[in-house]
């Protein structure tokens, strides 16, 4: 059994405490690795190393930083299949999806590296004579990154690649359920030529290691992806020390099916959106809002196809849906089934821990109908294969229901009617809207993130990612040779 140490100052190094945790395959419950937990001294060591790394890396010209990232993208491409298989073992989702997860890391690497030769500031006019004005982008310093388990390589990569091209150094803590793909990503970056100290990895529970990262005075910004509850706590703590914080939190994503929709297309979209990644995506479709005129027909089609989805080990080609990540997630999903029934929703299919010949954490793909918009199963993020169907009479009611949650990440509408499509684009409160496509499927050159309880205004990916990891400076160059006073000299 391989035991993984912490990664500090370019070396795999023993933790100062004797604590470890097991990394478990959620399909077979086999232990696949043992991981050392960081102690307080290790957090200080990692930040010291990142401060040293920052000195070197921030002085490296951005196109040279980009060369390292391009090389990492090449290595990732060569090792894609091996990494995807490891991810399926560690996290459970099916191979097609873990291949997609690695591909996202490759895509963001190539996209971010391209910014090494762009990272544009602006030049603009001055209200005074013989004065030149421009903006430049500067790195922030040491960034603390805290990531969840559902996209074990894509989410760390979405943060790491833009932060690196912008010249920052990093201390990252991956989720304890899925540390291996962050380890692999960092090994690949080192192989590609990243100097020691620029990236450091710590492992351990959020309550201890994550909190220490948030509180460390030499970490200048926190980039967090995870639940709303943790995000709120991090934001309030960062407020106390004026630390910059970017948050990517949960979702309760609606998908509207109008009466004129192509129902076959919508069906495929709902199955993929709701049960892909076993419903464990921040962008998962968790509420389907059905026009009353197609409700019965669409519901029948959906239940029939959902019951055909095959649960199993994600490494097998016949598997449609893998396990959920761990026992506490499984218990939470079970709890929501009881809540839904108690609230008066009607269980159409699923609702049980799956009885298959694997010891892991499998839950049946589940659909509730007659769900009212204010029920807890329509309001709270379940993060599992549980879908709520809500019926509406027209587009205005559909949009009202779509907006009736505290989250605002992704949304979708299936319709052939251009007016309804544009109403949805304009009026749904979310960071992403898809027309005739499900709530999942983000591409790395567009901004990713949401409104309301989903975040605090930052976006990842696209050009926004460079903004997340840089400070902008305004520069004034006066070549008049005399004191000129803005707003006063006419
Ligand atoms: P979580 O908030 O429990 O944990 C996320 C990370 O934060 C983990 O590394 C954890 O160890 C750490 N953590 C926990 N408590 C902490 C604390 N007090 N201080 C510092 N760190 C702490 O979330 P999770 O269960 O791992 O992930 C699922 C959640 O992530 C869902 O809500 C999902 O919607 C969200 N998510 C959002 C996005 C997005 O981009 N918007 C993407 C994926 C997942």
């Amino acid at each position: 059994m391989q035991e993984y140490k912490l990664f500090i100052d370019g070396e795999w190094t023993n933790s100062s405490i004797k604590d470890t945790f097991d990394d478990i395959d959620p399909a077979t419950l086999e232990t696949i690795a043992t991981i050392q937990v960081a102690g307080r001294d290790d957090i200080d060591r990692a930040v010291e190393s990142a401060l040293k790394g920052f000195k070197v890396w921030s002085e490296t010209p951005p196109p040279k930083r980009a060369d390292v990232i391009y090389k990492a993208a090449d290595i990732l491409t060569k090792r894609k299949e091996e990494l995807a298989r490891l991810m399926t073992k560690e996290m459970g989702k099916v191979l097609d999806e873990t291949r997609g997860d690695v591909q996202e890391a490759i895509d963001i690497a190539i996209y971010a590296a391209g910014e090494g030769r762009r990272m544009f500031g602006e030049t603009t006019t001055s209200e005074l004579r013989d004065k030149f004005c421009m903006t430049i982008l500067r790195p922030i310093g040491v960034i603390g990154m805290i990531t969840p388990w559902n996209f074990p390589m894509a989410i760390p990569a979405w943060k790491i690649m833009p932060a690196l091209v912008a010249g920052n150094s990093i201390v990252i803590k991956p989720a304890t359920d899925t540390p291996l793909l962050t380890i692999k990503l960092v090994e690949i970056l080192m192989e590609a030529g990243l100097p020691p100290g620029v990236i450091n990895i710590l492992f351990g529970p959020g309550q201890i290691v994550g909190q220490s990262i948030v509180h460390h005075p030499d970490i200048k910004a926190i980039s967090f992806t995870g639940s709303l509850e943790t995000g709120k706590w991090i934001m309030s703590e960062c407020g106390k020390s004026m630390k910059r914080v970017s948050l990517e939190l949960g979702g309760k994503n609606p998908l509207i099916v109008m009466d004129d929709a192509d129902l076959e297309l919508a069906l495929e979209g709902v199955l993929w959106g709701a049960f892909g990644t076993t419903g464990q995506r921040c962008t998962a479709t968790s509420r389907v809002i059905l026009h009353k005129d197609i409700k019965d027909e669409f519901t029948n089609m959906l239940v029939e196809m959902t019951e055909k989805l095959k649960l199993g080990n994600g490494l097998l080609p016949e598997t449609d849906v893998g396990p959920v990540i761990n026992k506490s997630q499984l218990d939470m999903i079970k709890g929501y089934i009881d809540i839904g029934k108690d609230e008066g929703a009607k269980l159409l299919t699923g609702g049980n821990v799956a009885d298959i010949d694997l010891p892991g954490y499998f839950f049946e793909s589940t659909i509730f109908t007659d769900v009212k918009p204010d029920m807890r199963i329509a309001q709270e993020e379940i993060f599992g294969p549980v879908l709520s169907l809500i019926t509406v009479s027209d587009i205005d009611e559909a949009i009202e229901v779509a907006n009736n949650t505290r989250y605002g990440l992704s949304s979708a509408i299936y319709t052939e009617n251009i007016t309804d499509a544009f109403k949805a684009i304009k009026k749904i409160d979310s960071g992403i809207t898809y027309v005739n496509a499900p709530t999942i499927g983000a591409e790395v050159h567009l901004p990713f993130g949401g409104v309301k309880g989903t975040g605090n205004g930052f976006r990842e990916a696209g050009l926004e990612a460079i903004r997340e990891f840089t400070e902008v400076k305004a520069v004034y160059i006066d070549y008049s040779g005399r004191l000129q006073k803005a707003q006063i000299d006419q």
Side-chain angles (χ1 to χ4, degrees):
M1 177 73 46
Q2 181 151 7
E3 179 169 310
Y4 284 92
K5 302 176 183 179
L6 313 176
F7 189 71
I8 299 175
D9 202 12
E11 308 273 343
W12 294 101
T13 154
N14 274 318
S15 164
S16 60
I17 58 172
K18 290 268 165 290
D19 201 4
T20 59
F21 62 90
D22 289 340
D23 186 4
I24 289 168
D25 177 340
T28 61
L29 304 191
E30 177 198 342
T31 300
I32 55 178
T34 304
I35 315 285
Q36 294 190 359
V37 175
R40 295 219 178 263
D41 289 353
D42 304 314
I43 294 159
D44 287 339
R45 279 200 299 136
V47 177
E48 237 170 75
S49 149
L51 284 168
K52 252 177 38 196
F54 180 69
K55 282 207 179 108
V56 176
W57 191 240
S58 59
E59 291 295 329
T60 305
K64 300 282 177 229
R65 296 178 202 148
D67 287 346
V68 172
I69 300 172
Y70 277 127
K71 200 155 171 213
D74 270 352
I75 303 170
L76 281 166
T77 305
K78 289 192 185 104
R79 294 181 55 185
K80 180 173 168 181
E81 188 60 23
E82 163 216 333
L83 294 167
R85 287 186 170 272
L86 179 66
M87 195 187 304
T88 294
K89 262 189 101 43
E90 188 185 46
M91 188 268 164
K93 62 187 172 185
V94 299
L95 262 181
D96 268 354
E97 294 182 21
T98 52
R99 289 182 187 121
D101 195 308
V102 179
Q103 188 60 45
E104 273 195 53
I106 296 166
D107 292 347
I108 193 73
I110 293 169
Y111 180 81
E115 288 309 302
R117 289 189 184 270
R118 286 187 290 264
M119 259 200 271
F120 297 126
E122 292 170 340
T123 59
T124 183
T125 57
S126 168
E127 65 187 55
L128 297 166
R129 288 170 194 275
D130 295 334
K131 200 169 177 186
F132 179 84
C133 303
M134 65 179 173
T135 63
I136 58 165
L137 298 176
R138 304 175 68 227
I140 297 171
V142 180
I143 314 277
M145 299 181 176
I146 301 175
T147 53
W149 44 264
N150 63 336
F151 280 84
M153 187 172 258
I155 290 178
W158 277 26
K159 296 182 188 300
I160 289 171
M161 302 306 181
L164 285 182
V165 81
N168 301 284
S169 64
I170 295 166
V171 173
I172 184 165
K173 189 204 86 64
T176 46
D177 284 307
T178 56
L180 290 187
L181 275 298
T182 302
I183 293 172
K184 296 293 164 198
L185 189 58
V186 170
E187 281 175 358
I188 287 168
L189 279 161
M190 298 310 289
E191 186 186 336
L194 196 67
V198 179
I199 191 158
N200 304 273
I201 321 181
L202 298 172
F203 307 108
Q207 304 295 338
I208 300 166
V209 182
Q211 291 203 6
S212 303
I213 290 176
V214 169
H215 286 147
H216 201 291
D218 289 328
I219 290 185
K220 293 289 175 252
I222 298 291
S223 176
F224 173 76
T225 300
S227 63
L228 174 58
E229 287 63 35
T230 311
K232 274 186 184 167
W233 180 84
I234 290 179
M235 191 160 169
S236 70
E237 289 306 296
C238 288
K240 291 178 193 161
S241 56
M242 293 293 285
K243 193 170 285 187
R244 179 167 164 153
V245 56
S246 51
L247 302 173
E248 295 293 337
L249 310 176
K252 191 72 191 169
N253 311 290
L255 182 155
I256 299 170
V257 185
M258 293 302 291
D259 51 347
D260 57 3
D262 175 338
L263 293 189
E264 290 291 343
L265 186 67
L267 177 64
E268 276 185 273
V270 172
L271 289 168
W272 177 227
F275 303 120
T277 321
T278 325
Q280 304 171 112
R281 287 181 181 232
C282 51
T283 51
T285 305
S286 55
R287 297 176 296 149
V288 170
I289 302 171
L290 292 172
H291 191 282
K292 61 179 174 22
D293 294 349
I294 47 91
K295 178 208 165 194
D296 289 341
E297 182 185 357
F298 189 77
T299 302
N300 291 338
M301 290 162 68
L302 181 59
V303 170
E304 187 190 334
M305 291 309 290
T306 301
E307 287 175 349
K308 288 189 181 148
L309 293 175
K310 185 164 169 27
L311 266 65
N313 190 323
L315 289 172
L316 302 176
E318 63 269 26
T319 300
D320 297 307
V321 181
V324 300
I325 189 72
N326 56 34
K327 169 98 171 46
S328 68
Q329 203 65 21
L330 191 77
D331 291 342
M332 198 192 52
I333 296 167
K334 274 196 285 186
Y336 272 107
I337 303 303
D338 295 336
I339 291 169
K341 287 179 187 163
D342 290 348
E343 285 178 313
K346 186 169 156 203
L347 185 63
L348 285 179
T349 188
N352 300 299
V353 172
D355 183 15
I356 65 171
D357 59 357
L358 278 170
Y361 308 118
F362 290 90
F363 201 86
E364 293 171 349
S365 302
T366 299
I367 302 176
F368 279 107
T369 191
D370 297 342
V371 177
K372 301 285 170 257
D374 290 331
M375 288 180 179
R376 283 183 62 190
I377 56 167
Q379 289 290 326
E380 296 172 19
E381 188 184 40
I382 300 174
F383 224 57
V386 182
L387 181 62
S388 291
L389 306 185
I390 303 174
T391 312
V392 294
S393 303
D394 55 31
I395 183 69
D396 294 326
E397 190 188 354
I399 291 170
E400 196 182 312
V401 170
N403 285 339
N404 178 24
T405 69
R406 59 183 169 159
Y407 296 106
L409 180 50
S410 187
S411 57
I413 181 166
Y414 281 80
T415 181
E416 299 293 308
N417 177 326
I418 189 93
T419 307
D420 287 352
F422 271 94
K423 273 190 177 177
I425 293 168
K426 191 170 167 197
K427 293 189 174 170
I428 295 182
D429 297 329
S430 63
I432 307 167
T433 295
Y434 294 89
V435 177
N436 293 328
T439 55
I440 60 184
E443 300 179 34
V444 300
H445 53 296
L446 276 84
F448 181 90
V451 302
K452 301 195 282 187
T454 294
N456 62 340
F458 282 92
R459 294 287 185 275
E460 293 200 321
L463 272 183
E464 296 289 323
I466 299 298
R467 297 199 185 103
E468 182 185 356
F469 294 112
T470 51
E471 292 284 8
V472 64
K473 175 181 272 195
V475 181
Y476 299 89
I477 302 161
D478 191 325
Y479 55 97
S480 69
R482 60 202 162 84
L483 174 66
Q484 300 197 85
K485 298 177 191 142
Q487 293 91 41
I488 293 170
D489 290 355
Q490 293 300 318

